[in-house]
């Protein structure tokens, strides 16, 4: 008995081969190499090199197939016999009106077939009962003893099997129990498999009736089982749909992912299922799919597809299953027809458990299977020596199957457990074929297997020369089995014999042997035919007939050489081995149909012999040539002819052919080397040099080769030249002193020879030494060009690579010492350039003078020399500018300072220049604080110079906005002065005078334009938004003031306005409230009032400090021009005020004020705030004008005291209530100013407002002009509204949060732009300092005579002293008699503008 399925033991593994790339290139040659080992196992596995990965070429979307249905337990031979037996019993009991129920014994189903078989083997039912041997029957069924199982088996046998056996023997069934299964509820009911009804062969006439009959006839129980085959599925699949079905089935069956199921588990489960009677598992297998129709998995060369280079490589590979059957060494390439499955590959799409049964290939050929992708395929193989043994075992174990199908093993439908075969002595091996691996089966090797899961494989047959004897034996085997042939073996042999020159040599030898046996057999058969009295014969081209018209009616063999036919029976023929089975007609009516005569066959045999023996003849010639047996060397052309003959006749790659190829290769190599030595110079450069020893060996090798070469004489000439050159070289090396020209000439001559002699190395060393010493000599030559340290270091490094000699060592030492000294001086110069402590020019000059003695170019010394040159030039520039006719300009000094600081030289003059620049900047900063407002957008020079574009409204406003935003930084652009003009006092004075005129003209023009504008408070919608205020916006309901200078309108919230209440509260008497012409209502816009407007006395103090400077400043000269302009205006103003008409008006105005005071003394004075009563200042119109210096001190004290007054909230409220009530009491005009008097005063007033200086005469004129007109109630009302606490307009500019934020943003922008401007200005000054005019040139003299104030500082000093004396002394001018009308309390607005 076979072992239990649970105890399946895997057979041993088959051989596995891993060829190298060299072996893999010849597929059939490699298979022939491994055949002695592999054919002992029947199958083997080949793993290609890892890089060999052919692309999958099947059109996946168009690939559709219909698989076969496989019921696993019907595949196994013994299981199928049992199922057939159970079907017969089930039919018997169905006739009896009952169904078959198989009982369970010891918790497993009872094997009724084995029970009946053992009972028969033990002598039958009666004999066993008589001898009481049922326990032995139980033992043979592998049941345990001691449980009285024998009695139970007897009961089951009597109940189920014995009635069927009695029926089979023809006994009466009346005594039989017709309901033996009524009491067996626990038994399993058997469902018949009806295998004959599902077979693929044509059903018999009884099959159709049995499908329709409700009750079966008794005769059906005796019918033998019919032929078995696979049935086709009804569903068509694509690769994707089949894969989804296959993976789903396996995952559900094993309850785990498909790739995680071990192969051992699947293998055991497969053999358990095929042996199971009670478990019916069905799978599907896409087998034997024609690649011609669906496309091969390998790339194929055809016109349908354009292949890539990689695909073309695989399409022509011998391992491509479309190529292997038709290789030159393959026999099948001589068959014209495309035999599907043999010459054309078949495709296989498998799923888990799908199987291929035990079989051998058609004609016992080789087969090769390649798994393209998917899960493994498990194989089992039996060698050819055990093929008949396997057939005998299967026939002995399942005789019932072979009785109905004698060629059952050729139908590929039967399995048998490998363990069963191995238990009967059949050698079986196994393997798991993974994706990308080949499995090869050898001739007549039985093989079977199953798939581990979803995969795709491709298989094909091939035949080699060693197969021919096996193929002949197969035909004899087929003849005995009466099996059809796939092709005619005789036709194949004759076709190859007809063209022997096309055959491979090994194949020709094998065909010759087969042809000889075939001719001898044909002679014998035809002789027998003659002995039978058949003499008629006809030639027949059998290869043109279809196979079914030339098959023997007895053995089904396909005839080719000859056949026997009958004139009276034309439908059939027989081979000459079955001449007695043709027909019963007379021999005279029978005739021979032949393909070749007996004379033609020996001729074909002779051609094969010639082809087979041609190798021996060729081998004798090669042997004689290589061994020089006759003493004559062959020419190179003769040896090449022998090699070509081997190639043309396709002789095997034998050792003799390898020796011939090696000899030819050596000869060609020698000739190539000789040609390289004697060819022209261009080719010689590409040929590597050889040594003298190699040259001698080459000459000797050419002499020992078994062929003649004329190049050997040329090689001898080369050797002679080399020996002559060797002698010349030795003479040159021994002669002293060495000549560089001779050494160089010998070196070039040696290179032309292309042969390396021993003296060449010594010559090369000597030449390198001479060249290097010459380079050192040139580098250190005093008169030569100095080289850098890098070049000298490279020269020293080159010296280390030169062979040592006394002269070379000395030159190295000198060069190293020179580099050390040069680096030391270079380091010293580097320290002088980089050190924080600078050295004097004398020290640097000493260093440079000493370093110049070194014959090396030193970059740091050169830089130090350049720095010293620049320092000397700088000192010369300083001396020139200091000794000039005029003081130097600040820009020039700053440029010199910047250049001097960058020089790595200690300069004594630099400290003096730095002090001068520092003093000048200190004065400039003091002047800026005096003139410029806090966060002013103007520069000092712009404030001091007249506003030349005062007449352009849009330009003036846009430039003010640009200055506010920090976008406009040019000081003198409005004056039209360049940087060079600022150095010329005459240009500056002339530009200042021209600017004054332009300023006057511009302000008159601007007044004319602005006077035409309506008040924005009266008609805000008609005012242009671009010409109102500095904001350029029209705001409805916002108070606006008109500038007293430019007459433009400004919003009270956008500008700083006079504080009327604060000025009155500071020092007013009761009469002052009614003297409205003295109220602080004058308003100048920020576009007109650009600075703090200091008093003239303060400016004179600045001018005194300017005289101490030895530097010319554009701001200083502009300040002098401004002072001269102010003094000139002051003189004209005093002269106007001292005129008779104006003096009378002033007295009248003082009298009016006195009358107001007298009237108020007699009346009850209004209750005034304490702030207004305190610090009351009474003025006497008869007093003289105070001295300027005393008035300056007084103004400053009063200004400080007025700023400190902080009224309380109650006083502020009372002032706000009181002043509006007084507006109705204001009357005017107080004075009557004639036009002749008013016009000069207004002109003086305009010119005074243009001055950025505070003068008392300006306010006196303003009061006169105010008293000569009606009170401006609208402005007074506007000022009072703006001064209310809830009105945002009364906030100072610095108190407005939004303005403070805007100021901070502007300050950041200004600081950034200022840094950039400072850097640019510094750079410009450096450049400017390098372009100071040479000594001897004078500054341009002043042009105008009235500008002598600016010609020299000594003259400035005289003018200032004269003016100061006039201020400090008793003034006798006519203007000294008019009373002082400008108390300091009226200057509060201007001081507010300063802040």
């Amino acid at each position: 008995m076979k072992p239990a399925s649970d105890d399946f033991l895997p057979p041993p593994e088959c051989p596995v081969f891993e060829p190298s790339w060299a072996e893999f290139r010849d597929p059939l040659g490699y298979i022939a190499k491994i055949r002695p080992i592999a054919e002992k196992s029947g199958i083997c596995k080949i793993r290609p090199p890892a890089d060999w990965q052919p692309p999958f070429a099947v059109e996946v979307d168009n690939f559709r197939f219909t698989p076969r249905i496989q019921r696993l337990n019907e595949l196994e031979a013994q299981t199928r016999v049992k199922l057939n037996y159970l079907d017969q019993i089930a039919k018997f009991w169905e006739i009896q009106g009952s169904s078959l129920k198989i009982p369970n014994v010891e918790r497993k189903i009872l094997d009724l077939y084995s029970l009946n078989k053992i009972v028969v083997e033990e002598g039958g039912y009666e004999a066993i009962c008589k001898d009481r041997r049922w326990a032995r029957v139980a033992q043979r069924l592998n049941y345990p003893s001691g449980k009285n199982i024998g009695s139970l088996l007897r009961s089951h046998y009597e109940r189920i099997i014995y009635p069927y056996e009695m029926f089979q023997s023809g006994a009466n069934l009346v005594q039989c129990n017709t309901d033996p299964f009524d009491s067996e509820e626990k038994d399993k009911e058997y469902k018949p498999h009806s295998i004959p009804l599902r077979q693929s062969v044509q059903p018999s006439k009884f099959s159709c009736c049995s499908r329709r009959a409700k009750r079966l006839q008794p005769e059906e129980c005796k019918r033998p089982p019919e032929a078995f085959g696979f049935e086709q599925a009804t569903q068509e699949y694509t690769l994707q749909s089949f894969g989804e079905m296959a993976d789903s089935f396996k995952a559900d069956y094993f309850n785990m992912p498909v790739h995680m199921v071990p192969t051992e588990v699947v293998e055991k489960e497969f053999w358990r299922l095929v042996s199971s009677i009670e478990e019916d598992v069905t799978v599907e297998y896409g087998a034997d799919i024609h690649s011609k129709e669906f496309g091969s998995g390998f790339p194929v060369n055809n016109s349908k597809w354009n292949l890539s280079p990689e695909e073309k490589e695989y399409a022509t590979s011998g391992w491509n299953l479309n190529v292997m059957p038709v290789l030159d060494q393959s026999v099948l390439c001589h068959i014209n027809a495309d035999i599907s499955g043999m010459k054309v590959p078949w495709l296989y799409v498998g799923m888990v458990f799908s199987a291929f049964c035990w079989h051998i290939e058609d004609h016992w050929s080789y087969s090769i299977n390649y798994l393209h992708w998917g899960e493994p395929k498990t194989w089992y193989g039996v060698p050819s020596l055990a093929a008949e043994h396997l057939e005998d075992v299967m026939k002995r174990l399942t005789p019932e199957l072979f009785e109905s199908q004698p060629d059952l093993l050729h139908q590929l439908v039967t399995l048998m457990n490998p363990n069963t075969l191995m238990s009967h002595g059949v050698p079986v091996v196994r393997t798991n074929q993974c994706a990308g691996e080949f499995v090869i089966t050898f001739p007549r090797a039985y093989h079977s297997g199953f798939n581990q899961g979803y995969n795709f494989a491709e298989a094909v047959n091939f035949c080699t020369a060693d197969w021919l004897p096996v193929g002949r034996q197969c035909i004899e085997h087929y003849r005995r089995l009466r099996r059809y042939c796939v092709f005619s073996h005789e036709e194949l042999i004759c076709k190859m014999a007809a063209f022997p020159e096309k055959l491979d040599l090994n194949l020709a030898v094998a065909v010759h042997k087969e042809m000889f046996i075939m001719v001898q057999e044909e002679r014998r058969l035809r002789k027998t035919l003659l002995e039978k009295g058949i003499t008629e014969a006809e030639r027949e081209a059998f290869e043109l007939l279809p196979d079914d018209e030339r098959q023997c009616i007895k053995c089904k063999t396909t005839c080719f050489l000859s056949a026997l036919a009958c004139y009276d029976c034309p439908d059939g023929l027989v081979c000459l081995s079955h001449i007695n089975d043709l027909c019963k007609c007379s021999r005279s009516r029978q005739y021979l149909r032949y393909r070749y005569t007996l004379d033609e066959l020996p001729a074909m045999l002779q051609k094969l012999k010639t082809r087979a023996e041609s190798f021996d003849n060729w081998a004798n010639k090669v042997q004689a040539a290589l061994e020089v047996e006759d003493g004559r060397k062959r020419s190179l052309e003769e040896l090449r002819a022998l090699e070509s003959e081997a190639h043309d006749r396709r002789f095997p790659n034998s050792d003799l052919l390898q020796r011939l190829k090696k000899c030819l290769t050596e000869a060609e190599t020698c000739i190539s080397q000789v040609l390289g030595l004697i060819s022209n110079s261009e080719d010689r450069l590409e040929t590597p040099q050889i040594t003298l020893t190699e040259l001698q060996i080459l000459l000797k090798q050419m002499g020992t080769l078994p062929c003649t070469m004329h190049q050997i004489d040329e090689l001898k000439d080369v050797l002679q030249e080399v020996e002559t050159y060797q002698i010349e070289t030795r003479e040159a090396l021994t002669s002293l002193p060495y000549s560089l020209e001779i050494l160089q000439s010998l070196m070039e001559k040696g290179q032309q020879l292309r042969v390396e002699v021993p003296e060449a190395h010594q010559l090369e060393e000597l030449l390198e030494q001479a060249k290097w010493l010459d380079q050192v000599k040139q580098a250190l030559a005093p008169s030569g060009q100095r080289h850098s340290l890098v070049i000298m270091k490279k020269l020293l490094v080159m010296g280390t690579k030169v062979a040592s000699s006394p002269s070379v060592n000395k030159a190295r030492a000198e060069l190293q010492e020179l580099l050390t000294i040069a680096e030391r001086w270079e380091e010293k110069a580097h320290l002088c350039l980089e050190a924080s402590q600078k050295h004097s020019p004398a020290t640097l000059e000493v260093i440079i003078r000493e370093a110049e003695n070194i014959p090396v170019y030193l970059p740091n010394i050169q830089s130090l020399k350049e720095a010293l040159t620049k320092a000397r030039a700088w000192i010369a520039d300083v001396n020139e500018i200091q000794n000039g006719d005029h003081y130097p300009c600040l820009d020039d000094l700053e440029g010199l300072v910047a250049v001097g600081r960058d020089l790595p030289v200690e300069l004594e003059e630099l400290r003096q220049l730095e002090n001068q620049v520092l003093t000048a900047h200190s004065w400039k900063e003091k002047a800026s604080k005096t003139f410029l407002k806090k966060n002013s957008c103007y520069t000092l020079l712009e404030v001091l110079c007249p506003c030349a574009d005062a007449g352009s409204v849009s330009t003036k406003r846009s430039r003010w906005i640009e200055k506010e935003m920090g976008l406009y930084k040019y000081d003198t652009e409005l004056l039209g002065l360049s940087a060079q003009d600022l150095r010329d006092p005459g240009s500056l004075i002339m530009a200042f005078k021209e600017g004054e005129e332009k300023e006057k003209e511009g302000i008159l023009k601007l007044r004319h334009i602005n006077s035409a504008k309506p008040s924005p408070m009266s008609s805000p919608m008609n005012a242009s938004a671009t010409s109102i205020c500095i904001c350029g916006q029209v705001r409805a309901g916002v108070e606006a003031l008109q500038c007293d200078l430019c007459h433009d309108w400004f919003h009270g919230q956008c500008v700083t306005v006079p504080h009327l209440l604060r000025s009155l509260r500071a020092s007013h008497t009761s009469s002052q409230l009614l003297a409205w012409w003295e109220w602080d209502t004058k308003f100048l816009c920020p576009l007109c009032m650009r600075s703090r407007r200091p008093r003239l006395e303060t400016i004179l103090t600045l001018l005194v400090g300017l005289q101490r400077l030895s530097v010319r400043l554009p701001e200083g000269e502009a300040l002098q021009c401004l002072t001269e302009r102010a003094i000139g205006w002051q003189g004209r103003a005093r002269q106007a005020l001292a005129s008779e008409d104006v003096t009378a008006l002033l007295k009248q105005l003082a009298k009016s004020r006195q009358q107001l005071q007298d009237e108020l003394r007699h009346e009850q004075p209004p209750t005034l705030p304490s702030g207004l009563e305190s610090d009351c200042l009474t003025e006497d119109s008869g007093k003289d004008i105070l001295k300027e210096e005393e008035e300056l001190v007084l103004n400053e004290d009063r200004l400080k005291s007025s700023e400190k007054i902080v009224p309380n909230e109650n006083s502020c409220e009372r002032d706000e209530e009181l002043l509006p009530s007084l507006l109705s009491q204001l009357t005017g005009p107080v004075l009557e100013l004639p036009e002749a008097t008013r016009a000069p005063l207004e002109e003086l007033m305009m010119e005074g407002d243009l001055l950025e200086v505070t003068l008392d005469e300006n306010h006196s004129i303003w009061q006169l002009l105010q008293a000569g007109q009606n009170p401006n109630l609208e402005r007074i009302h506007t000022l009072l509204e703006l001064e209310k606490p809830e009105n945002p307009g009364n906030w100072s500019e610095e108190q407005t949060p939004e303005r403070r934020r805007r100021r901070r943003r502007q300050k950041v922008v200004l600081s950034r732009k200022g840094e950039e401007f400072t850097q640019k200005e510094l750079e410009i000054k450096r450049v400017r300092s390098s372009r100071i005019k040479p000594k001897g040139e004078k500054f341009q003299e002043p042009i105008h005579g009235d500008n002598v104030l600016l010609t020299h500082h000594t003259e400035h000093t005289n003018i200032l002293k004269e003016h100061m004396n006039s201020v400090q002394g008793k003034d006798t001018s006519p203007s000294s008699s008019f009373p002082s009308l400008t108390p300091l309390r009226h200057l509060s607005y201007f001081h507010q503008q300063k802040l």
Side-chain angles (χ1 to χ4, degrees), residues 245-454:
M245 179 274 295
D247 289 341
S248 176
F249 175 86
K250 183 176 180 181
D252 293 342
Y253 189 91
F254 290 99
N255 196 25
M256 66 176 69
V258 293
H259 61 279
M260 296 183 64
V261 184
T263 57
E264 300 83 0
V265 173
V266 179
E267 187 175 23
K268 287 188 176 183
E269 182 65 14
F270 173 77
W271 289 113
R272 187 189 71 80
L273 291 175
V274 298
S275 303
S276 174
I277 297 175
E278 52 187 323
E279 288 191 56
D280 296 332
V281 176
T282 302
V283 295
E284 299 181 35
Y285 190 21
D288 300 340
I289 302 172
H290 298 270
S291 63
K292 275 285 185 182
E293 181 180 354
F294 296 97
S296 171
F298 289 95
V300 179
N301 277 322
N302 53 35
S303 59
K304 187 177 180 180
W305 304 108
N306 294 325
L307 302 181
S308 64
E310 180 185 6
E311 291 174 335
K312 288 180 180 179
E313 180 182 353
Y314 287 105
T316 58
S317 172
W319 291 95
N320 186 326
L321 300 194
N322 299 277
V323 177
M324 181 175 284
V326 295
L327 292 174
D328 291 340
Q329 303 93 325
S330 175
V331 174
L332 297 182
C333 69
H334 300 279
I335 300 177
N336 293 332
D338 288 339
I339 306 171
S340 183
M342 291 198 71
K343 284 185 66 175
V344 179
W346 271 351
L347 309 176
Y348 300 86
V349 186
M351 65 176 292
V352 68
F353 299 145
S354 59
F356 52 101
C357 302
W358 286 110
H359 69 286
I360 51 179
E361 300 299 324
D362 291 335
H363 289 257
W364 296 355
S365 62
Y366 287 85
S367 77
I368 182 170
N369 185 290
Y370 180 75
L371 189 63
H372 284 280
W373 47 261
E375 298 191 59
K377 186 188 293 286
T378 301
W379 290 73
Y380 303 97
V382 175
S384 59
L385 296 176
E388 294 183 358
H389 189 189
L390 179 142
E391 295 171 357
D392 293 340
V393 170
M394 293 188 70
K395 289 177 182 179
R396 186 169 66 250
L397 295 179
T398 58
E400 299 88 347
L401 299 180
F402 287 88
E403 288 175 1
S404 59
Q405 287 179 280
D407 62 343
L408 179 65
L409 291 177
H410 295 281
Q411 306 301 322
L412 285 79
V413 293
T414 305
L415 281 174
M416 182 167 283
N417 196 309
N419 290 163
T420 303
L421 297 175
M422 294 168 67
S423 65
H424 287 82
V426 179
V428 182
V429 295
R430 74 173 299 281
T431 189
N432 285 329
Q433 178 192 15
C434 299
E437 296 178 344
F438 291 97
V439 169
I440 295 178
T441 66
F442 287 82
R444 209 187 179 185
Y446 272 98
H447 51 278
S448 65
F450 66 94
N451 295 293
Q452 293 276 344
Y454 177 48

Side-chain angles (χ1 to χ4, degrees), residues 584-602:
K584 296 181 179 181
C585 300
S586 171
R587 293 292 183 182
S588 61
R589 300 301 299 167
Q590 297 176 348
Y591 65 98
L592 176 68
R593 299 171 67 180
Y594 66 92
R595 179 63 181 87
Y596 298 105
T597 65
L598 291 178
D599 295 333
E600 294 172 340
L601 290 175

